[in-house]
């Protein structure tokens, strides 16, 4: 048993939960699309309203090869370095379950940041260690302070760049310094949900250099597919193989597979790039207009598709927006953002209407 187990973990063996190494993964129905499927107890007829090509009566391909190939090309990695997941949220869940032992392990995160890292860790029974980003450092990553907070129990180190909710991207050299120091000791997970708006390239090009670097990309934001639930984990092929042991067998729904493949056609990609560019112009304009409002103390620079605002009275601003029909994100639950809120850059028309609501007497 120990020989195949050690092969399963590869370079990650010392970090992976023993149960995952010992696991015999679920064996899904063989994928042989040229044969008639009488091996998976599916219905032989199509359901009413089915608009998929493959048929919703059939189980989908477990990791659809065409989708993996297209996403790997889009994110500039090899297919073996990519796992398709139900949004980045599922990738975070898979990493937690592969690496975190209840009552023993931990994650290290840099609040204020995305809430799912700690939720997934807590579900798994792991501890959450924090090295907060600081307002007086413009929410920039301080590699030395992060590394000082790191302990061997912290198997996963999350860096969100650009960071949600502060909007800034983290300094690349600081991220690489963290990867360098923690090489072999922890998985450094860089969440690039908003990288398309940042004007800087993905860190995926560093995957060959750092086997313990994992990158999260999603189609929910710049590809306008939040409702499809599709994200990816980009990592060393042995880490992808470990996550595949844990992901449910038919995770990616057929409707999602086909929608995403359509969105990855060259013309569709060109259109989403045009939309991203237009949103960046709106971001610039909206930031200026918001900064001119008397109730706004500061609009933080943004590398994402949203703006973080410090208000003089954030609750009153939220109320005015709501009276105009808009819901903004209240950030007062973060101890360092008591008077802050987050606005997604909307359509030009909605942005104008929002400003009108905020200016209302
Ligand atoms: C929106 C967002 C995601 C995307 O999550 P999905 O599950 O892919 O929709 C991931 N990380 C951060 C920081 C986000 O803000």
């Amino acid at each position: 048993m120990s020989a195949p187990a050690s092969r399963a973990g590869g370079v990650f063996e010392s970090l992976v939960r023993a149960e995952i190494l010992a696991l015999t993964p679920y064996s899904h129905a063989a994928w042989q699309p040229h044969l008639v499927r009488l091996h998976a107890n599916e219905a032989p007829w199509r359901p009413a309203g089915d608009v998929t090509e493959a048929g919703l009566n059939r189980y989908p391909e477990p990791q659809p090869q065409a989708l993996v190939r297209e996403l790997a090309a889009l994110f500039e990695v090899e297919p073996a370095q990519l796992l398709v997941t139900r949004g980045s949220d599922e990738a975070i869940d898979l990493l937690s379950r592969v690496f975190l032992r209840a009552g023993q392990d931990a994650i290290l995160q840099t609040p204020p940041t995305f809430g799912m890292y700690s939720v997934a860790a807590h579900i798994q029974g792991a501890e959450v260690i924090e090295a907060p980003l600081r307002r007086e450092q413009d929410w920039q990553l301080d590699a030395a302070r992060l590394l000082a907070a790191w302990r061997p129990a912290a198997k996963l180190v999350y860096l969100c760049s650009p960071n949600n909710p502060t909007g800034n991207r983290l300094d690349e050299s600081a991220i690489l310094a963290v990867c360098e120091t923690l090489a072999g000791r922890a998985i450094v997970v860089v969440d690039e949900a908003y990288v398309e708006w940042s004007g800087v390239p993905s860190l995926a090009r560093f995957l060959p250099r750092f086997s313990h670097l994992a990158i999260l990309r999603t189609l929910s934001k710049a590809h306008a597919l939040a409702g499809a639930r599709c994200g990816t984990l980009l990592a060393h092929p042995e880490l992808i193989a470990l996550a595949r042991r844990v992901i449910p067998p038919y995770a990616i729904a057929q409707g999602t597979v086909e929608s995403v493949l359509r969105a990855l056609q060259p013309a569709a990609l060109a259109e989403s790039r045009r939309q991203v560019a237009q949103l960046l112009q709106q971001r610039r304009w909206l930031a200026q207009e918001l900064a001119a409002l008397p109730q706004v103390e500061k609009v933080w620079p943004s590398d994402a598709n949203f703006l973080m605002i410090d208000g003089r009275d954030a609750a009153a601003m939220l109320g005015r927006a709501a009276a105009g029909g808009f819901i903004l994100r209240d950030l007062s639950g973060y101890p360092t953002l008591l008077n802050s809120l987050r606005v997604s850059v909307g359509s030009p028309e909605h942005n104008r209407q929002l400003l009108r609501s905020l200016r209302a007497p």
Side-chain angles (χ1 to χ4, degrees):
M1 231 190 92
S2 62
S6 66
R7 274 200 298 277
V11 297
F12 304 101
E13 197 194 346
S14 64
L15 295 176
V16 179
R17 285 175 55 212
E19 293 89 337
I20 304 303
L21 293 179
L23 185 72
T24 305
Y26 177 76
S27 164
H28 54 70
W31 184 258
Q32 299 195 343
H34 55 290
L35 299 179
V36 176
R37 295 170 62 89
L38 295 179
H39 69 328
N41 299 346
E42 300 156 344
W45 67 89
R46 279 175 168 255
D50 180 3
V51 295
T52 62
E53 277 172 47
L56 285 180
N57 54 318
R58 302 297 179 189
Y59 280 102
E61 189 181 356
Q63 277 287 302
Q65 280 181 39
L67 187 57
V68 170
R69 213 171 36 239
E70 294 293 325
L71 287 169
L74 179 67
F75 295 145
E76 301 181 318
V77 297
E78 295 300 318
Q81 294 173 301
L82 183 146
L83 186 75
V84 188
T85 57
R86 283 168 291 184
S88 306
D89 288 338
E90 183 171 53
I92 294 164
D93 179 59
L94 296 175
L95 289 168
S96 307
R97 291 200 273 157
V98 167
F99 290 102
L100 304 178
R101 292 168 302 173
Q104 298 181 64
D105 293 329
I107 66 161
L108 175 56
Q109 66 170 5
T110 59
T113 194
F114 189 47
M116 273 309 292
Y117 316 139
S118 63
V119 169
H122 284 141
I123 289 171
Q124 190 65 14
E127 197 194 330
V128 176
I129 305 172
E130 299 192 324
L133 303 175
R134 291 184 178 166
R135 180 183 295 267
E136 59 273 23
Q137 293 180 319
D138 294 337
W139 315 108
Q140 195 41 257
L141 175 63
D142 181 333
R145 206 146 42 74
L146 181 86
L147 291 167
W150 182 80
R151 290 189 263 118
K155 302 268 181 67
L156 300 176
V157 176
Y158 284 100
L159 300 173
C160 187
S161 179
N163 186 44
N164 180 4
T166 56
N168 59 300
R169 65 185 157 83
L170 304 182
D171 183 43
E172 184 174 293
S173 60
I175 298 177
L176 295 178
V178 171
C179 291
E180 195 87 56
T181 306
L182 295 182
R185 301 197 278 171
I187 309 296
V188 178
V189 186
V190 181
D191 186 341
E192 294 187 333
Y194 301 98
V195 72
E196 290 89 346
W197 283 282
S198 71
V200 302
S202 164
L203 292 185
R205 65 194 192 284
F206 292 103
L207 288 173
R209 185 154 133 212
F210 297 110
S211 60
H212 288 59
L213 171 63
I215 293 173
L216 307 180
R217 295 290 301 264
T218 180
L219 299 184
S220 294
K221 309 286 161 62
H223 294 275
L225 282 163
R229 308 308 300 128
C230 186
T232 61
L233 170 65
L234 312 180
H236 189 288
E238 286 170 353
L239 179 41
I240 297 299
L242 286 163
R244 261 189 102 147
R245 295 179 145 235
V246 177
I247 194 170
Y250 308 101
I252 315 301
Q254 188 60 31
T256 294
V257 174
E258 294 180 16
S259 309
V260 175
L261 282 173
R262 281 194 296 273
L264 297 181
Q265 304 267 323
L269 283 177
E271 171 60 14
S272 63
R273 284 194 193 101
R274 197 187 65 75
Q275 294 280 4
V276 167
Q278 185 184 328
L279 189 134
L280 288 177
Q281 290 182 354
Q282 281 289 305
R283 182 182 78 190
R284 205 169 308 125
W285 176 78
L286 184 61
Q288 280 170 11
E289 297 293 312
L290 286 167
L293 297 177
Q295 68 264 50
V296 168
E297 191 157 318
K298 173 162 186 154
V299 179
W300 288 89
S302 172
D303 297 303
N305 66 339
F306 58 84
L307 296 165
M308 185 169 81
I309 300 169
D310 292 346
R312 299 198 196 284
D313 179 353
M317 275 184 82
L318 290 168
R320 280 193 185 196
F326 293 94
I327 178 162
L328 311 182
R329 188 63 170 250
D330 178 0
L331 298 177
S332 63
Y334 293 97
T336 52
L337 299 175
L338 294 175
N339 236 341
S340 304
L341 44 90
R342 195 189 68 197
V343 185
S344 307
V345 181
S347 67
E349 190 190 346
H350 284 155
N351 298 333
R352 277 194 303 274
Q353 287 172 2
L354 171 67
L355 287 165
R356 211 173 304 136
S357 316
L358 293 175
R359 285 183 193 121

